[in-house]
Amino acid sequence: MLLLIFFSSSIEAKTRYHKWEITYQLKSPDCFQKLAITINGSTPGPTIDAQQGDTVVVAVKNGLFTENIAIHWHGIRQLGTPWSDGTEGVTQCPIIPGETFIYSFVVDRPGTYIYHAHYGMQRSAGLYGLIRVALPQGEVEPFKYDSDQSLILNDWWHKSAFEQSVGLSSIPFAWVNEPDSILINGRGRFNCSLVQGGGTCNSTNPDCAPYVITAVPGRTYRLRIASITSLSAFNFQIEGHNMTVVEADGHFVKPFVVESLYIYSGETYSVLVKADQDPSRNYWAAVNVVSRQPKTPTGFAIFNYYPNHPKKNPPTVLPIGPHWNDTTGRLNQDMSVKAHPNYNHPPPKTADRLILLLNTQNKIGGHTRWAVNQVSFTLPHTPYLIALKDRLRNVFNQKPAPDTYDYKTYDIYQNTSNQNATYSNSIYRLKFNSTVDVVLQNANTMTSNNSETHPWHLHGHDFWVVGHGVGKFDPEKDPNGYNLVDPIEKNTVAVQPYGWTTIRFRADNPGAWAFHCHIESHFFMGMGVVFEEGVDKVGKLPKNIKGCGAS
Ligand SMILES: *[C@@H]1O[C@H](CO)[C@@H](O)[C@H](O)[C@H]1NC(C)=O
Ligand SMILES: *[C@@H]1O[C@H](CO)[C@@H](O)[C@H](O)[C@H]1NC(C)=O
Ligand SMILES: *[C@@H]1O[C@H](CO)[C@@H](O)[C@H](O)[C@H]1NC(C)=O
Ligand SMILES: *[C@@H]1O[C@H](CO)[C@@H](O)[C@H](O)[C@H]1NC(C)=O
Ligand SMILES: *[C@@H]1O[C@H](CO)[C@@H](O)[C@H](O)[C@H]1NC(C)=O
Ligand SMILES: *[C@@H]1O[C@H](CO)[C@@H](O)[C@H](O)[C@H]1NC(C)=O
Ligand SMILES: *[C@@H]1O[C@H](CO)[C@@H](O)[C@H](O)[C@H]1NC(C)=O
Ligand SMILES: *[C@@H]1O[C@H](CO)[C@@H](O)[C@H](O)[C@H]1NC(C)=O
Ligand SMILES: *[C@@H]1O[C@H](CO)[C@@H](O)[C@H](O)[C@H]1NC(C)=O
Ligand SMILES: [Cu+2]
């Protein structure tokens, strides 16, 4: 009896074991059949549910015959386990075919997170899923809801990730183009009559039937929305229903109401939606591409009012969302996301170091690349964590990566005017426990009058989003406008066209951490950097992360 009470009231952290096999399968998520990378046969993969403080153990078997893999746990800081971050080339060697790799990490914070492939461009082949971390027993969120549902948004191509990556690295350059469709929980709709030159496309395949969210009139729904797109920025809306934003990247938000939500690759949000409209019909949940001129049809799910038939289409046309190029609207949302007053941990008032990062598109030896302060990033053969911890010499460029660019004279509105970008695998070494400001400065691409949106993701940390601005960041004036009172903490943040974004973080997690644009092809084309901090404090590295390069 005593034992029973002990167990039922126990708040001891649990260990949650998962065993996954990664294989290729023929899938038709948008009705068009294609080889997809799956976890135990499914894409998206299984959702990992855990509670704050639990240890998650995932034994990943690489069942692909000819490809390496690695899986990143996006938003999990990996405190004390920097080797479980799953970033091939940074924190581990790839998992080779036939091999099983065991990831083990603590989920130390409640909220909504993602996992996805972090090797080559495999993420776009379907290897992704959600992580939901519940609050400890007896604790509640600072908001109320009747039901908790998840939507993972993605963009999808019929071309393989191989064909895409070969095109990106070829001369002449071949762009991946806009996605063929938008997926909501792995379901989309391609117009099969547009299929040219073979391929199987069956519009009545149940795998591409729209996803249905069933709502009971009067109830409030928490929708956890995650974007894992390879390219697109999205706008999400439920026709006729406003949404209250309450969580962003695992942090409670000072609630604010939106008619539609902008979401960038690598971000997660929770919104509350009340089923308080005319219950005699269903409504569209619609996803539209923004920030690039859309060439992809609107993605949709059905917001079904019980007891209407879940498959009954709403009587209206699909919402087309806001103007794709309404940068001001997107910036307004960025600036509305602030920490919830009861969960506000203001940042240090000053930073010890300022790193100004200019984002440009460049040509290097005829190749089209992205560069940060003239450096187009390449991964070394020996992962940084191993190289740094085991003091392996000459396995990456030891010259420090540049802290700034020529901000006094650089014209961010001109076609990328410099021809000086080079490849490098150099990194930033941060003083342990120092406070670092990073300013991401956007600029014109190599196309006239064009600047893109880049969602930057930091591994191993959350950062405070202390400022956003339009134009060129001025290191003298702009810091005066920083929000140091209640900035949101996030792991991914957008830099809008011709704008800048400043993040602040404490370099207090020993390890080597990637910081990169979350657009799959941009990172592939060099849009990233690596930070090292306190690597001497990292515990003994597990053997299973080694075995490539000089390790
Ligand atoms: C995945 O498949 C393995 C066997 O290969 C099995 O042990 C495991 O339970 C499965 N996991 C899930 C989540 O289906
Ligand atoms: C599918 O494409 C065909 C051919 O262009 C077009 O006639 C048809 O209206 C499209 N169907 C839908 C549902 O968009
Ligand atoms: C399309 O899928 C439906 C449902 O699975 C099936 O009944 C039908 O035979 C398929 N059509 C073709 C041409 O394969
Ligand atoms: C949604 O919010 C807007 C702006 O705050 C308001 O004008 C509109 O009436 C609201 N719609 C609903 C359905 O509550
Ligand atoms: C937005 O794009 C449209 C074309 O889709 C163009 O006509 C319009 O001028 C653009 N607006 C801005 C603010 O760039
Ligand atoms: C490129 O390098 C050359 C030679 O070092 C230098 O003169 C020029 O100013 C550089 N251009 C830019 C935009 O940095
Ligand atoms: C890091 O710095 C903060 C603030 O100066 C201090 O409170 C904390 O103890 C330091 N942590 C470590 C591990 O040195
Ligand atoms: C921009 O500059 C690059 C590199 O000099 C050049 O290849 C490209 O054609 C230019 N684009 C435009 C629109 O002028
Ligand atoms: C670029 O934008 C400027 C200012 O809005 C305009 O004067 C110019 O014509 C545009 N150039 C092109 C090629 O669209
Ligand atoms: Cu980018």
Side-chain angles (χ1 to χ4, degrees):
M1 192 61 203
L2 261 176
L3 205 67
L4 198 75
I5 290 165
F6 174 78
F7 278 115
S8 58
S9 67
S10 168
I11 52 158
E12 294 274 300
K14 290 195 187 73
T15 301
R16 316 240 178 193
Y17 294 96
H18 301 270
K19 214 171 149 182
W20 290 354
E21 181 161 10
I22 313 302
T23 59
Y24 268 107
Q25 307 271 331
L26 279 168
K27 290 284 170 186
S28 305
D30 66 347
C31 306
F32 182 87
Q33 194 183 60
K34 177 196 163 175
L35 274 177
I37 302 182
T38 66
I39 297 173
N40 281 22
S42 66
T43 172
T47 295
I48 295 180
D49 276 305
Q51 197 165 28
Q52 183 181 333
D54 288 351
T55 299
V56 172
V57 178
V58 188
V60 177
K61 180 177 181 202
N62 181 356
L64 309 182
F65 298 123
T66 58
E67 271 175 79
N68 297 332
I69 57 170
I71 300 182
H72 170 54
W73 317 93
H74 180 118
I76 309 299
R77 290 178 299 165
Q78 302 293 350
L79 301 179
T81 53
W83 46 76
S84 268
D85 190 48
T87 315
E88 185 273 331
V90 179
T91 64
Q92 72 169 105
C93 292
I95 312 170
I96 63 175
E99 201 174 272
T100 297
F101 185 94
I102 297 173
Y103 290 100
S104 177
F105 51 88
V106 173
V107 288
D108 63 313
R109 287 225 271 250
T112 311
Y113 308 97
I114 316 170
Y115 64 80
H116 61 80
H118 218 297
Y119 179 77
M121 286 180 62
Q122 277 176 346
R123 194 179 90 210
S124 68
L127 182 42
Y128 66 93
L130 276 178
I131 304 171
R132 289 185 303 217
V133 183
L135 282 163
Q137 214 75 48
E139 285 185 33
V140 291
E141 288 93 359
F143 46 86
K144 287 202 169 72
Y145 52 94
D146 301 303
S147 168
D148 187 339
Q149 313 231 355
S150 306
L151 298 175
I152 188 157
L153 314 181
N154 198 8
D155 48 9
W156 191 251
W157 284 258
H158 297 161
K159 249 188 208 170
S160 70
F162 289 117
E163 202 173 339
Q164 292 189 348
S165 50
V166 168
L168 295 176
S169 38
S170 293
I171 301 175
F173 176 74
W175 176 234
V176 299
N177 294 325
E178 297 305 310
D180 293 303
S181 37
I182 292 171
L183 307 183
I184 302 179
N185 285 352
R187 289 153 179 277
R189 176 60 59 95
F190 187 75
N191 181 348
C192 286
S193 52
L194 300 177
V195 173
Q196 293 158 343
T200 303
C201 193
N202 183 348
S203 58
T204 55
N205 186 331
D207 290 352
C208 60
Y211 186 77
V212 176
I213 310 155
T214 295
V216 174
R219 294 206 182 149
T220 298
Y221 290 81
R222 174 186 190 173
L223 299 183
R224 298 175 190 253
I225 305 168
S227 173
I228 193 64
T229 56
S230 289
L231 175 65
S232 314
F234 281 158
N235 179 270
F236 173 86
Q237 71 183 104
I238 297 176
E239 209 189 355
H241 294 70
N242 285 343
M243 304 181 280
T244 306
V245 180
V246 293
E247 183 211 347
D249 292 6
H251 292 272
F252 297 129
V253 166
K254 186 173 165 184
F256 66 100
V257 176
V258 293
E259 287 177 77
S260 68
L261 178 80
Y262 293 107
I263 183 166
Y264 305 94
S265 180
E267 287 190 317
T268 70
Y269 283 100
S270 284
V271 298
L272 302 181
V273 183
K274 190 159 191 217
D276 60 1
Q277 298 299 305
D278 174 6
S280 70
R281 53 166 285 200
N282 291 340
Y283 297 82
W284 295 115
V287 178
N288 285 286
V289 170
V290 292
S291 108
R292 307 176 64 87
Q293 184 145 25
K295 298 200 171 81
T296 311
T298 300
F300 58 89
I302 295 175
F303 194 64
N304 160 236
Y305 270 57
Y306 183 82
N308 299 330
H309 196 284
K311 285 190 178 151
K312 187 162 185 236
N313 278 352
T316 42
V317 295
L318 277 170
I320 56 166
H323 286 299
W324 68 271
N325 54 5
D326 178 11
T327 306
T328 311
R330 299 204 302 277
L331 202 56
N332 285 346
Q333 179 184 305
D334 292 339
M335 306 219 250
S336 303
V337 188
K338 296 186 177 146
H340 189 285
N342 300 349
Y343 297 85
N344 182 18
H345 317 102
K349 290 291 169 231
T350 57
D352 302 307
R353 181 167 170 187
L354 170 65
I355 301 177
L356 255 178
L357 300 180
L358 175 69
N359 295 197
T360 55
Q361 204 178 30
N362 298 76
K363 285 269 185 197
I364 306 180
H367 291 277
T368 302
R369 300 284 299 179
W370 285 92
V372 174
N373 290 356
Q374 316 261 34
V375 174
S376 189
F377 181 72
T378 56
L379 280 168
H381 293 294
T382 309
Y384 293 105
L385 181 63
I386 306 168
L388 291 160
K389 173 73 182 161
D390 291 354
R391 298 171 184 275
L392 306 175
R393 304 273 170 215
N394 305 320
V395 294
F396 68 89
N397 186 346
Q398 299 295 306
K399 189 181 162 212
D403 266 27
T404 190
Y405 72 103
D406 184 10
Y407 65 86
K408 291 212 171 91
T409 62
Y410 193 89
D411 181 353
I412 63 163
Y413 296 99
Q414 286 296 314
N415 175 24
T416 303
S417 49
N418 74 74
Q419 293 292 303
N420 291 2
T422 53
Y423 293 108
S424 180
N425 54 24
S426 60
I427 66 170
Y428 295 87
R429 316 248 349 212
L430 307 176
K431 185 167 182 287
F432 183 68
N433 207 26
S434 63
T435 301
V436 181
D437 274 3
V438 178
V439 179
L440 295 157
Q441 176 66 59
N442 213 337
N444 208 100
T445 63
M446 291 197 294
T447 305
S448 298
N449 286 357
N450 177 253
S451 180
E452 301 185 2
T453 302
H454 303 284
W456 278 78
H457 171 60
L458 178 58
H459 292 227
H461 306 77
D462 292 323
F463 48 73
W464 291 276
V465 182
V466 296
H468 286 281
V470 178
K472 192 153 65 169
F473 174 80
D474 180 339
E476 305 297 323
K477 293 201 192 96
D478 286 322
N480 299 328
Y482 284 168
N483 175 7
L484 303 178
V485 178
D486 61 353
I488 189 67
E489 291 172 80
K490 294 188 96 243
N491 61 62
T492 305
V493 71
V495 186
Q496 300 296 354
Y498 302 112
W500 56 266
T501 298
T502 305
I503 65 166
R504 179 168 292 183
F505 66 95
R506 206 188 275 281
D508 59 0
N509 189 9
W513 307 106
F515 179 48
H516 61 94
C517 177
H518 211 258
I519 291 177
E520 187 89 316
S521 40
H522 288 184
F523 182 50
F524 186 82
M525 292 161 72
M527 199 169 203
V529 301
V530 166
F531 295 127
E532 175 275 330
E533 68 213 40
V535 80
D536 50 307
K537 294 176 177 61
V538 169
K540 192 174 186 308
L541 299 179
K543 238 168 122 181
N544 64 350
I545 67 167
K546 301 187 183 178
C548 59
S551 75

